Structures are given as structure tokens and as C-alpha cells.
Amino acid sequence: MHHIPRGDILHISINTYKMLGEYMKYNSFKLNLYRCCNCSIFLVNIAFTLISLGHLEGGRYMKTLEGGTTALHVLLKYLGFLYYKRDIEALYDAYAKFWLCESLNRKLYTKINANHRIARNIQIFIVVATTCIMTVYCLRPILSSKAKFIFEWWIPGGSVVLETLALFSQYYFTMLVVPVVFAYDSIYLSYSMHMISQLKLLNFRLERMAMGVDNLEIYRCIRHHQFLLA
């Protein structure tokens, strides 16, 4: 009997969301409150960006726009996970059943596992590179005497309170960028890899039809494809 490959990207992404308190079958008032706080931080970043765009120009304008676009991007992926969380649970269960399939012979299992390993390594490389980039952004106020914030923002009246709020929201936001984006993208990459694996398995079973494979087995495989495409 086979098991889900060790270090598979779906496992990694699910565990990454657990770092944010997002266990698959768990929900509570405190978790909802935490979600609202995260969304508020995203919205604060977007709000400061919109305010700043009217007071900056040239290179500073583009840097501000870049920061606001990043905040919107992460917010949409965070909300996307919350909206599709139940569907991701169903995908995870189907994913586990696929790797427990007894008809998945050793040769096919090894080939599919190799493909998943390549996808995992690519994703790990991306997250390492992204983490390095975000680290540089976080050190920007320290490395440059001219940079007061991570992203280029204009603060009304030079208020110390607003500057403190802006700096806090930027640092909090940068800590959420890597786990949210990485986990969300990994789930969809895992979904795509699972679809490829299912096509390989279906092709393998169709080739065995002439050898007396039960048609019910083919029917189950096709139904699983319909589930994934739904």
C-alpha cells in the first residue's frame, strides 16, 4: 500500500496554513477575530497606498503602487483560501485516497512521485527566493537612511501616531506575504499535479482493459476526474 509522498507540496501548504491557525476542520470565534485582524492589516496597507498615490510622483509613485498591488494580491489569496477551504478539505481527502490506491503499481508510483518531487523543489526554490526579497524589503529602513518605511508612503502631517501605525502594518504585512502566497500557490500547483497523476493513472488503467481490468475500476477513475473538474 502506498502513501502520500513525504514532503509533498500539499502537505507543506496545509502545514503552512496551520501556522496561521487555519486547521482544515477547525473554526472558532478567536480564529474569525484573527482573520478580521489580518484582513484589516491588508486594508490599512491598501488605504495608505491610495492616500499616498495622490502625493507622490515618478519612481516613488511606482514603488507605492507596487506595494499596494502586492497587498491587494495577498488579500485576494487569503480570502480565496477562506472561501474555498471546504473544497480544499475535499481535495485533500481525495488526494489521500489516490495514494492509497492498490492498483497504483510500483513503476507508476515512482514516476508520479518523481514529478511531485520536482514540483516541490521548484516551489521551495521560489519560496526561498521570495523570503530573501521580503527580508531585503524589511531591512530597507535600516539599510537606507532615506527610507523611513518598507514601502513608499506619504503620511499626512508627519504624524508620529500614523507613522507608527504605518510601520507596524507594513512589517506585519510582510510577515504574512510569504506564507499566504506560498501556501495558496502550492495548493493549486498540487491540484494541477494531481490532475496530471490522475491522467497517467487513467491511461494506465485503459491500457490494462484488454487484460481484464474491471470496468467498475475505470468508472471510479472517471468519476474522480469529474469531481476534480467540478
Side-chain angles (χ1 to χ4, degrees):
M1 182 174 290
H2 305 294
H3 299 280
I4 297 178
R6 184 180 180 181
D8 184 82
I9 52 176
L10 183 59
H11 272 314
I12 296 175
S13 59
I14 295 300
N15 289 331
T16 302
Y17 272 119
K18 286 180 180 179
M19 295 170 54
L20 301 176
E22 296 293 346
Y23 290 82
M24 283 295 98
K25 300 184 183 298
Y26 174 75
N27 200 4
S28 69
F29 172 77
K30 291 183 179 180
L31 179 57
N32 289 329
L33 184 62
Y34 175 66
R35 291 169 176 170
C36 290
C37 290
N38 289 337
C39 292
S40 298
I41 292 296
F42 296 141
L43 293 175
V44 167
N45 277 263
I46 295 172
F48 270 112
T49 298
L50 294 176
I51 294 173
S52 301
L53 288 177
H55 298 82
L56 301 175
E57 57 184 20
R60 297 184 65 191
Y61 179 92
M62 294 306 299
K63 289 180 180 179
T64 302
L65 185 61
E66 177 187 358
T69 303
T70 303
L72 181 60
H73 175 220
V74 179
L75 173 61
L76 292 177
K77 288 193 171 182
Y78 186 68
L79 294 177
F81 169 78
L82 298 181
Y83 183 79
Y84 290 110
K85 187 175 180 180
R86 294 291 177 262
D87 295 326
I88 294 172
E89 290 178 10
L91 174 64
Y92 186 82
D93 293 338
Y95 195 79
K97 291 178 182 178
F98 167 74
W99 286 107
L100 292 175
C101 180
E102 296 180 356
S103 63
L104 191 62
N105 72 347
R106 187 65 188 178
K107 183 178 179 180
L108 183 60
Y109 173 83
T110 303
K111 186 176 181 179
I112 293 175
N113 193 16
N115 293 336
H116 281 251
R117 188 163 54 249
I118 293 172
R120 181 198 63 194
N121 293 337
I122 293 174
Q123 198 70 349
I124 290 176
F125 171 78
I126 293 174
V127 74
V128 170
T130 305
T131 301
C132 293
I133 294 173
M134 296 309 300
T135 301
V136 173
Y137 265 101
C138 289
L139 295 176
R140 187 168 175 265
I142 300 175
L143 299 176
S144 176
S145 58
K146 297 180 180 180
K148 186 180 293 186
F149 304 105
I150 300 175
F151 304 111
E152 289 283 353
W153 281 357
W154 175 84
I155 305 300
S159 171
V160 176
V161 175
L162 289 179
E163 288 183 352
T164 303
L165 174 62
L167 197 59
F168 169 77
S169 64
Q170 286 187 358
Y171 273 107
Y172 190 92
F173 166 72
T174 52
M175 288 190 297
L176 292 176
V177 170
V178 175
V180 170
V181 174
F182 166 72
Y184 190 87
D185 290 348
S186 294
I187 288 175
Y188 274 89
L189 178 58
S190 177
Y191 174 80
S192 300
M193 293 301 300
H194 186 52
M195 287 292 296
I196 294 172
S197 301
Q198 279 293 315
L199 289 173
K200 291 181 181 294
L201 178 60
L202 180 59
N203 182 62
F204 172 74
R205 288 174 171 173
L206 290 174
E207 289 177 350
R208 292 177 57 198
M209 284 187 66
M211 302 170 58
V213 175
D214 189 359
N215 289 334
L216 180 59
E217 187 177 349
I218 303 297
Y219 172 77
R220 290 173 178 170
C221 186
I222 293 174
R223 292 292 297 173
H224 186 65
H225 275 264
Q226 293 175 336
F227 163 75
L228 292 175
L229 293 171

